[in-house]
Amino acid sequence: AQSVTQLGSHVSVSEGALVLLRCNYSSSVPPYLFWYVQYPNQGLQLLLKYTSAATLVKGINGFEAEFKKSETSFHLTKPSAHMSDAAEYFCAVSDQGYSTLTFGKGTMLLVSP
Amino acid sequence: SQTIHQWPATLVQPVGSPLSLECTVEGTSNPNLYWYRQAAGRGLQLLFYSVGIGQISSEVPQNLSASRPQDRQFILSSKKLLLSDSGFYLCAWSSPGEGKWLFFGEGSRLTVL
């Protein structure tokens, strides 16, 4: 069975600082991995996806994530946080052969001036 | 381009009353359709998904049901709501096949009193 663990329900950074949101997955086969962002009272928006091509994936709004098979990780980073990045971020995994995604519990990113 | 519509956006219902949330997708054919529920601190829980008309897979036993009367229409229902049904309900769609990312609607906030 596939699962996702996001370390830290809340992460606080200052504007301009590095953003690092952690995601570890469990999958019996090479997975597909995704990061989504959710602003208050809205649906989820896809940030980036890993689908077995390049291990370093670039997404929207300056975010990127690196797939590390040996660490079963897919951490999300951004070099410099902006106030508009404050939102909740979800990591998700899908095994080959599955049509559904399993989501982590989310990490709330707080950005202070 | 593809769009997804979900309504109503907000709903306040008494315990024991019925529920109907509707979701429609435009601009694509034969999508996979999903209902997720988001409760505070619990991430996203997959409730139902459908790969075709009349084909519904239930992920969690509960007093909710789903139907897909048309290719691009997905309905979430309940005959009698419970307090525990309160939450943020999200409809999503994806292209058929594995490893496809989901596109989410704007969500429906249900409060059961």
Side-chain angles (χ1 to χ4, degrees), chain A residues 23-73:
Chain A
C23 172
N24 289 89
Y25 69 90
S26 172
S27 173
S28 58
V29 297
Y32 301 104
L33 294 160
F34 309 85
W35 275 100
Y36 282 83
V37 60
Q38 185 182 31
Y39 297 98
N41 293 310
Q42 294 186 23
L44 277 71
Q45 179 184 4
L46 181 68
L47 270 180
L48 48 81
K49 58 188 182 291
Y50 167 76
T51 55
S52 71
T55 56
L56 182 61
V57 181
K58 294 186 184 298
I60 62 173
N61 301 338
F63 284 93
E64 62 182 35
E66 185 173 9
F67 171 66
K68 292 187 176 181
K69 183 179 178 181
S70 61
E71 300 177 6
T72 61
S73 69

Side-chain angles (χ1 to χ4, degrees), chain A residues 83-107:
Chain A
M83 295 296 290
S84 61
D85 294 327
E88 190 160 21
Y89 292 80
F90 292 91
C91 182
V93 63
S94 176
D95 281 348
Q96 292 181 8
Y98 282 79
S99 299
T100 62
L101 300 189
T102 298
F103 286 83
K105 293 188 176 182
T107 298

Side-chain angles (χ1 to χ4, degrees), chain B residues 71-84:
Chain B
D71 181 44
R72 291 169 292 173
Q73 183 185 27
F74 205 27
I75 298 171
L76 182 69
S77 303
S78 174
K79 293 182 178 178
K80 290 185 177 182
L81 284 169
L82 306 173
L83 287 174
S84 57

Side-chain angles (χ1 to χ4, degrees), chain B residues 11-63:
Chain B
L11 198 59
V12 180
Q13 293 286 96
V15 169
S17 64
L19 171 72
S20 180
L21 299 179
E22 189 163 344
C23 173
T24 59
V25 180
E26 297 177 358
T28 186
S29 297
N30 194 31
N32 291 343
L33 295 171
Y34 308 83
W35 279 110
Y36 282 86
R37 177 168 60 199
Q38 186 175 20
R42 298 183 61 182
L44 279 81
Q45 179 185 37
L46 178 63
L47 301 176
F48 302 95
Y49 71 95
S50 171
V51 299
I53 295 175
Q55 301 178 58
I56 308 294
S57 296
S58 175
E59 294 293 304
V60 181
Q62 61 220 327
N63 70 320

